């Protein structure tokens, strides 16, 4: 997978939708739960050592499954590798549910479905396509109408790495910063 390490590190410094110190276990054999600062920024889950400012890893929250584990824990696994799970332990069941809800809302696909839903609702109420006023092209509107997610994503192999051409997410604070790659991303810096 290709990515710009400096841009990812800059993204990790952006304000988080959610952040906390929680227990985390990576999917390595013999791994133990360690206290990590976990920070959700756009559709990335960054994790840090509690005493360091730079992330030690990041998960791109696309094509993943978020499941409740134990009373106060959850796991993240990816469709391509369902046996490879990241486990997280929260201090309470309430905190766990907050994390699960936030992570599920963070995906590109969730935002895309929300945009389509609200676009259709506004169009029903006003009789106008709300995207026209922003100069969204006919082609882009067509892409919103077709369910590209279920029709395949044009998966390409580049140097043994799967990418999806429509996995594009813009960070709210940096409109010029576009992520154009698929998961899982493992950033070890």
């Amino acid at each position: 997978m290709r990515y710009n390490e400096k841009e990812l590190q800059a993204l990790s410094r952006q304000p988080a939708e959610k952040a906390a110190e929680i227990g985390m276990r990576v999917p390595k054999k013999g791994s133990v739960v360690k206290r990590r600062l976990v920070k959700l920024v756009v559709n990335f889950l960054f994790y840090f050592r509690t005493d360091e400012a730079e992330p030690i890893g990041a998960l791109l929250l696309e094509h993943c499954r978020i499941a409740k584990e134990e009373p106060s824990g959850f796991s993240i696994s990816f469709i391509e590798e369902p046996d490879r799970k990241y486990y997280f332990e929260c201090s309470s069941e309430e905190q766990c549910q907050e994390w699960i809800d936030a992570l599920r809302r963070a995906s590109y696909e969730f935002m895309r479905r929300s945009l389509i839903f609200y676009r259709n609702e506004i169009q029903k109420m006003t009789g106008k396509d709300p995207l026209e006023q922003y100069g969204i092209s006919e082609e882009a509107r067509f892409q919103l109408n077709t369910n590209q997610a279920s029709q395949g994503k044009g998966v390409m192999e580049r140097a043994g790495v799967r990418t999806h051409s429509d996995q594009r997410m813009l960070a709210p604070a940096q409109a010029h910063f576009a992520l154009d790659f698929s998961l899982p991303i493992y950033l070890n810096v």
Side-chain angles (χ1 to χ4, degrees):
M1 172 173 311
R2 295 179 186 191
Y3 62 89
N4 184 312
E5 189 174 318
K6 288 183 181 183
E7 285 186 350
L8 279 175
Q9 287 179 349
L11 181 63
S12 75
R13 293 184 200 105
Q14 295 297 317
E17 283 87 28
K18 186 153 189 66
E21 278 190 31
I22 58 177
M24 179 182 176
R25 182 168 43 112
V26 295
K28 291 181 183 174
K29 191 172 182 131
S31 177
V32 296
V33 175
K34 294 180 182 175
R35 205 86 180 135
R36 297 285 184 228
L37 171 61
V38 179
K39 187 175 174 183
L40 177 62
V41 181
V42 191
N43 60 342
F44 273 95
L45 186 65
F46 292 97
Y47 50 98
F48 304 76
R49 288 187 181 95
T50 55
D51 60 343
E52 293 182 9
E54 297 298 322
I56 57 171
L59 301 173
L60 179 59
L61 299 172
E62 301 300 335
H63 306 288
C64 65
R65 181 174 182 268
I66 299 154
K68 189 161 175 81
E69 305 278 342
E70 308 166 11
S72 61
F74 64 93
S75 66
I76 299 174
S77 60
F78 298 96
I79 293 170
E80 291 90 4
E81 301 176 273
D83 296 332
R84 187 177 168 89
K85 288 186 179 182
Y86 292 80
Y87 290 95
F88 299 86
E89 293 180 2
C90 301
S91 58
S92 69
E93 199 167 329
E94 181 181 328
Q95 182 189 35
C96 178
Q97 193 58 50
E98 289 172 5
W99 271 103
I100 290 170
D101 294 342
L103 293 169
R104 286 182 177 157
R105 288 189 309 266
S107 77
Y108 166 84
E109 192 56 37
F110 177 85
M111 290 184 221
R112 182 179 174 280
R113 283 191 309 264
S114 296
L115 171 66
I116 292 168
F117 172 79
Y118 289 117
R119 174 184 175 229
N120 291 336
E121 290 298 306
I122 291 169
Q123 198 163 9
K124 284 179 197 174
M125 293 169 60
T126 65
K128 294 183 179 181
D129 184 347
L131 298 180
E132 284 180 3
Q133 68 183 344
Y134 296 105
I136 306 292
S137 71
E138 283 295 321
E139 180 181 308
R141 277 188 263 146
F142 175 74
Q143 289 176 355
L144 285 175
N145 286 332
T146 61
N147 188 353
Q148 278 185 300
S150 65
Q151 294 177 1
K153 298 193 188 309
V155 178
M156 300 179 349
E157 297 280 334
R158 271 192 230 146
V161 176
R162 286 174 244 137
T163 63
H164 296 279
S165 60
D166 68 339
Q167 290 300 318
R168 192 160 295 194
M169 174 63 79
L170 295 178
Q174 294 180 325
H176 69 278
F177 182 80
L179 307 175
D180 190 18
F181 43 89
S182 182
L183 39 104
I185 178 170
Y186 309 107
L187 170 66
N188 293 313
V189 289

